Amino acid sequence: VVRRKLAQNHTLWLRFCFLILSLSGMNAAVRAVVRMGLYVGAKVYFIHEGYQGMVDGGENIREATWESVSSMLQVGGTVIGSARCKEFRTHEGRLKAAHNLVQRGITNLCVIGGDGSLTGANLFREEWSGLLGELVDQGLIEADAVQKYSALHIVGMVGSIDNDFCGTDMTIGTDSALHRIIEVVDAIMTTAQSHQRTFVLEVMGRHCGYLALVSALACGADWVLIPEMPPEDGWEEKMCQKLSATRSRGTRLNIIIVAEGAIDRNNKPITTECIKNLVVKCLGFDTRVTILGHVQRGGTPSAFDRILASRMGVEAVLALLETTANTPACVVSLCGNQSVRLPLMECVQMVSTIQGWRRCSMLYCRSFENNLKTYKLLAHRKPESELNFNVAVLNVGAPAAGMNAAVRSAVRVGISEGHKMFAVSDGFEGFYKGQIKEIKWADVGGWTGQGGSLLGTKRTLPAKHVDKIAEQMRKHNINALLVIGGFEAFLSLLELLTARGKYDEFCVPMVMVPATVSNNVPGSDLSIGADTALNAITTTCDRIKQSASGTKRRVFIIETMGGYCGYLASVGGLAAGADAAYIYEEPFDIRDLQANVEHLTEKMKTSIQRGLVLRNENSNENYTTDFIYQLYSEEGRGVFDCRKNVLGHMQQGGAPSPFDRNFGTKISAKAMQWISKKLVETFRQGRVFANTEDSCCLLGMRRRALVFQPVVQLKEETDFVHRIPKEQWWLKLRPLMKILAKYKTSYDVSDSGQLEHVVRNRPKESDASVAM
């Protein structure tokens, strides 16, 4: 489809060239733009050292090849360099840059950077025709070049660890920075607990407190200070009271996170040393300061960033394909789970109009306000209301990283809402055995960073023991259920919904939060735990490929988990740069396997030295991992050798990623607020009675929003035999992996991002003034 669309305009075919200006972006984006550009038949150019390279020209502007972006995915920073350029800010500098581009026929720019870089690119675009006229007057280019290269087209991708650009939920680089922060925090918490210390951490964020806020949410910090929300006068005393109260409950550590740009109401900087001295003076706690600095900018990019950057890179090429002389410069961004295009200058102008310390992230980062509200709910205990309902929370199915963060969030929000919270151990097996006990605010302290399930979880379904479960519901007067788990949790709610006809005890609000590494729950695009599993797969694949750095021409066959769901294999393959990923949802036969072997053989004859093939564990009962390994080994003999690896349960273990901690915390808090609302609605004549379909729901992410969906309505969307949804959004990403692996495949642009306008989302003044 893309090739046909490009061929329809012969003039565009002749002029379609790229410039990649990577300022603070990701190598995955560079790789995606290069390979997608070559896929559509364009010439692609690197510009080394950013705008400085554009101005200087010469060897700084080089044509890119397919092989020149190999082995880039796991490399941090940008391999083509980046530099600040004062000269480009002058008219003379931009004139030199225009001359260098025209000499190479470059009329399409893909710019990866922050708002300053993108603003500079748009100014360059606006001046383009005038610059060409000046070059003709100076005799540096021919007069016909003005007509031939009359328009300069620009598409931007935002690379910024601060996540401070308008219109996108996440900028390239932010998730990797959060990984660096959380790794440090997890390590610090170990020593802090050992020595009963208070740690004050400074993270980046001169004008934006996103990193500080989300990392505080992800590690359960006691206090956070960000530039968007200067604390009220007297905050010092309140903070010390909070720290003291935490210690009095038996906690051996305190964590305070400070954004580097944090200020008070008088515009005075709040420094880490100031906080340390305050804590030592008022409380006498042993206090240490850690400044993370540029550690946050480095390291291996996370799976999320690789996938995001790859999707954005491909989308940027599609946007340039569709641009015309009247099309405004756009920025490719992410909204929920969807790619969108936003007018560049609308985004930049919104950010630039927010000056000084009032430059509030809530105006340009869609997820900032939700993070802030959730942190306020969880970090500071509030006076309990008079609702007095009993709510039980349990985990069902296989363990998934992030479950504990979800339980912590549910317990604390529930207590804040006035409920008595009960923890059920070992799922429904523990439920019918009576393993139920009240759980308090302090009991879930430090749970966010713990992997697995601290409550315990089993795959046992409730149908066989429904009478005993009803008896326990009656015994403990359970008025609502929150079930956190995978496909078994979904089946469990369906069984409890059916049991309502016989047992009134199940006529209570019930809600499920999806948590499974397989990401196979109907009604939700993403599940808690899947991101951590993807990072485990990506990290392992990086190490496996590195093991062959001294061995030429080797192909690795990797088996992933997922049951019949190919999410981990497909999306993990995209993040790791796989050549193929075999899944149940996309049937394959021996001819497909042979074609893949031949494709790898051709690649191995060039400079490509390593191949990576992923296979979902239940992709095909006959074409097993051993079979594929033996086939590749035999057919590739004399060209490459083979190795295989079964990743197994390592995908379920480890500390949860920042995304899973944050996602689990927010979605569980929203579920508890829904339960509170339903309890009030269904409380009649001294009891709770809820028997409608909408009182038994699954809370899932659908495209751009979290949506409550009655589980009975999701039955039509479910393949119960193979335990997967009938339609899965991520299947649309599979062609990207094939294109980036140099396969000649089709790519449908019907689902590409459409140009939208920025929606201004101003916070209420009352929200903006609440003390942290």
Side-chain angles (χ1 to χ4, degrees):
V1 176
V2 175
R3 288 176 180 273
R4 183 169 67 249
K5 193 166 187 176
L6 183 60
Q8 288 172 353
N9 191 330
H10 185 65
T11 305
L12 180 61
W13 180 271
L14 292 175
R15 294 170 47 213
F16 196 64
C17 303
F18 287 114
L19 169 150
I20 300 179
L21 175 64
S22 184
L23 293 171
S24 58
M26 302 293 289
N27 288 318
V30 174
R31 172 180 177 269
V33 172
V34 168
R35 293 193 169 180
M36 189 64 180
L38 295 174
Y39 167 78
V40 299
K43 281 186 177 180
V44 188
Y45 288 85
F46 285 143
I47 290 197
H48 292 265
E49 309 308 326
Y51 284 126
Q52 188 66 57
M54 192 197 297
V55 173
D56 294 341
E59 285 299 307
N60 289 305
I61 306 178
R62 300 179 219 161
E63 188 171 347
T65 64
W66 194 276
E67 290 74 22
S68 63
V69 291
S70 295
S71 303
M72 289 176 61
L73 275 173
Q74 67 271 25
V75 180
T78 167
V79 298
I80 63 176
S82 177
R84 298 184 185 278
C85 181
K86 292 182 179 180
E87 195 172 357
F88 188 75
R89 298 179 183 178
T90 67
H91 183 79
E92 292 74 16
R94 293 191 290 274
L95 189 65
K96 290 180 184 178
H99 184 215
N100 289 325
L101 298 189
V102 171
Q103 284 182 316
R104 293 163 178 82
I106 297 173
T107 56
N108 295 272
L109 307 184
C110 180
V111 183
I112 310 171
D115 56 343
S117 305
L118 297 176
T119 302
N122 191 68
L123 175 62
F124 189 44
R125 169 182 174 270
E126 292 173 346
E127 293 181 346
W128 181 257
S129 58
L131 294 172
L132 294 191
E134 290 184 46
L135 292 173
V136 172
D137 294 340
Q138 295 177 19
L140 295 175
I141 61 174
E142 299 296 329
D144 62 350
V146 176
Q147 180 64 30
K148 188 176 181 181
Y149 308 116
S150 59
L152 179 69
H153 306 297
I154 293 173
V155 169
M157 287 183 281
V158 187
S160 167
I161 68 168
D162 290 331
N163 201 32
D164 58 352
F165 196 80
C166 171
T168 185
D169 285 349
M170 193 74 82
T171 57
I172 299 170
T174 301
D175 189 68
S176 297
L178 285 171
H179 272 259
R180 301 295 87 78
I181 295 170
I182 295 304
E183 287 167 6
V184 172
V185 172
D186 285 349
I188 282 176
M189 290 178 77
T190 304
T191 186
Q193 286 176 331
S194 301
H195 297 281
Q196 293 198 53
R197 283 178 177 160
T198 296
F199 270 87
V200 184
L201 276 73
E202 180 183 288
V203 302
M204 285 186 167
R206 190 170 303 161
H207 301 293
C208 176
Y210 185 88
L211 289 179
L213 177 60
V214 175
S215 57
L217 197 60
C219 72
D222 296 281
W223 205 266
V224 64
L225 293 155
I226 57 177
E228 292 89 345
M229 295 291 178
E232 292 179 345
D233 294 338
W235 64 272
E236 297 92 340
E237 183 180 351
K238 291 180 180 178
M239 184 185 74
C240 290
Q241 289 175 352
K242 171 72 190 311
L243 299 179
S244 180
T246 303
R247 286 290 181 94
S248 67
R249 290 195 294 265
T251 303
R252 297 175 59 85
L253 80 157
N254 299 112
I255 299 290
I256 302 169
I257 296 181
V258 186
E260 61 179 332
I263 51 175
D264 63 17
R265 293 271 163 167
N266 300 313
N267 216 26
K268 179 184 176 182
I270 301 175
T271 66
T272 52
E273 280 299 321
C274 170
I275 294 173
K276 174 188 173 182
N277 295 335
L278 175 66
V279 173
V280 172
K281 179 182 177 181
C282 296
L283 301 175
F285 292 169
D286 186 5
T287 306
R288 297 288 188 272
V289 170
T290 299
I291 299 176
L292 271 63
H294 282 77
V295 167
Q296 298 157 86
R297 292 190 179 276
T300 303
S302 67
F304 183 97
D305 266 333
R306 298 186 198 192
I307 297 162
L308 172 65
S310 297
R311 291 179 65 185
M312 297 302 98
V314 169
E315 187 66 35
V317 175
L318 296 178
L320 284 172
L321 276 173
E322 298 171 8
T323 192
T324 66
N326 299 322
T327 304
C330 74
V331 174
V332 178
S333 61
L334 181 76
C335 180
N337 200 31
Q338 299 300 116
S339 299
V340 297
R341 303 174 193 171
L342 300 170
L344 188 153
M345 289 315 295
E346 282 189 22
C347 299
V348 172
Q349 286 167 4
M350 181 174 287
V351 174
S352 63
T353 56
I354 309 165
Q355 300 296 331
W357 62 269
R358 297 304 295 173
R359 180 176 174 177
C360 181
S361 296
M362 282 189 284
L363 295 179
Y364 47 75
C365 173
R366 297 173 190 265
S367 61
F368 187 94
E369 188 172 8
N370 288 333
N371 286 320
L372 182 60
K373 289 179 178 179
T374 305
Y375 178 81
K376 290 176 181 178
L377 274 175
L378 301 175
H380 307 292
R381 185 169 183 173
K382 300 166 185 63
E384 298 173 8
S385 67
E386 298 299 324
L387 291 178
N388 294 321
F389 290 111
N390 294 346
V391 180
V393 57
L394 67 160
N395 294 333
V396 177
M403 276 184 165
N404 297 321
V407 172
R408 170 186 177 269
S409 176
V411 168
R412 292 198 168 180
V413 172
I415 292 173
S416 294
E417 297 275 323
H419 309 312
K420 183 180 288 188
M421 300 299 298
F422 288 85
V424 182
S425 300
D426 297 333
F428 282 105
E429 183 174 316
F431 210 136
Y432 81 80
K433 291 179 179 178
Q435 298 173 7
I436 306 169
K437 65 177 182 179
E438 186 178 355
I439 188 168
K440 301 293 186 67
W441 184 282
D443 295 337
V444 292
W447 280 34
T448 52
Q450 299 292 317
S453 169
L454 293 175
L455 286 184
T457 181
K458 295 287 182 67
R459 296 180 182 271
T460 305
L461 297 178
K464 292 182 180 180
H465 310 284
V466 68
D467 54 339
K468 294 180 180 178
I469 294 172
E471 181 182 343
Q472 293 296 332
M473 294 272 290
R474 184 167 56 254
K475 177 180 177 180
H476 293 89
N477 190 28
I478 302 299
N479 305 121
L481 281 180
L482 171 60
V483 182
I484 301 169
F487 201 87
E488 290 85 358
F490 173 63
L491 294 176
S492 296
L493 283 199
L494 287 174
E495 291 181 357
L496 293 180
L497 186 66
T498 302
R500 280 179 171 178
K502 188 176 181 180
Y503 300 95
D504 284 351
E505 287 80 5
F506 299 119
C507 293
V508 296
M510 295 183 283
V511 64
M512 172 194 165
V513 169
T516 168
V517 300
S518 301
N519 198 34
N520 64 333
V521 177
S524 186
D525 292 343
L526 293 173
S527 297
I528 300 166
D531 184 72
T532 304
L534 280 177
N535 277 284
I537 293 169
T538 304
T539 301
T540 305
C541 288
D542 287 348
R543 292 175 179 175
I544 288 174
K545 289 193 295 183
Q546 189 180 44
S547 72
S549 58
T551 306
K552 292 189 175 181
R553 296 178 181 149
R554 177 165 288 175
V555 174
F556 297 94
I557 314 296
I558 311 294
E559 181 183 299
T560 67
M561 295 180 76
Y564 287 95
C565 180
Y567 175 81
L568 291 180
S570 296
V571 182
L574 180 61
D579 295 277
Y582 300 119
I583 62 172
Y584 167 79
E585 293 90 342
E586 194 172 284
F588 59 96
D589 55 25
I590 193 67
R591 290 179 294 273
D592 298 311
L593 293 172
Q594 183 63 35
N596 293 150
V597 173
E598 292 173 358
H599 176 77
L600 267 171
T601 302
E602 287 300 314
K603 288 177 69 174
M604 290 292 176
K605 290 178 181 178
T606 63
S607 61
I608 304 297
Q609 303 299 326
R610 288 166 290 179
L612 183 66
V613 175
L614 271 62
R615 177 190 175 273
N616 173 244
E617 59 183 348
N618 289 341
S619 57
N620 189 293
E621 63 179 348
N622 295 313
Y623 300 133
T624 63
T625 301
D626 285 334
F627 179 90
I628 294 174
Y629 163 69
Q630 292 168 7
L631 176 68
Y632 272 72
S633 297
E634 180 64 28
E635 296 298 319
R637 184 170 298 181
V639 180
F640 59 81
D641 64 358
C642 255
R643 296 289 185 274
K644 66 175 178 178
N645 196 305
V646 179
L647 299 186
H649 284 78
M650 64 171 291
Q651 298 158 84
Q652 287 183 328
S657 67
F659 180 91
D660 276 331
R661 299 184 195 198
N662 191 21
F663 183 50
T665 298
K666 286 195 292 187
I667 194 171
S668 196
K670 190 175 181 70
M672 279 305 306
Q673 290 174 324
W674 176 88
I675 283 177
S676 295
K677 179 182 175 183
K678 285 294 180 182
L679 284 170
V680 172
E681 291 177 355
T682 58
F683 185 72
R684 297 289 184 275
Q685 298 178 346
R687 61 168 292 192
V688 173
F689 188 82
N691 63 348
T692 58
E693 288 184 358
D694 65 353
S695 64
C696 183
C697 286
L698 180 147
L699 174 57
M701 175 180 280
R702 282 294 182 97
R703 296 174 71 88
R704 300 190 184 188
L706 292 174
V707 182
F708 289 95
Q709 305 146 96
V711 292
V712 69
Q713 295 180 12
L714 295 175
K715 292 172 68 174
E716 295 299 319
E717 302 178 18
T718 307
D719 176 354
F720 286 96
V721 175
H722 298 100
R723 297 159 60 90
I724 55 174
K726 291 180 180 178
E727 293 186 9
Q728 303 187 82
W729 67 273
W730 51 264
L731 286 170
K732 295 178 181 179
L733 300 182
R734 284 184 60 79
L736 300 189
M737 184 189 69
K738 294 179 181 179
I739 289 170
L740 299 179
K742 211 174 183 178
Y743 281 89
K744 294 180 180 179
T745 185
S746 60
Y747 184 65
D748 189 356
V749 299
S750 61
D751 197 45
S752 61
Q754 301 300 312
L755 189 66
E756 300 180 4
H757 292 283
V758 180
V759 178
R760 193 178 292 265
N761 181 30
R762 291 192 177 278
K764 298 177 182 178
E765 185 62 31
S766 58
D767 290 340
S769 62
V770 175
M772 293 303 298

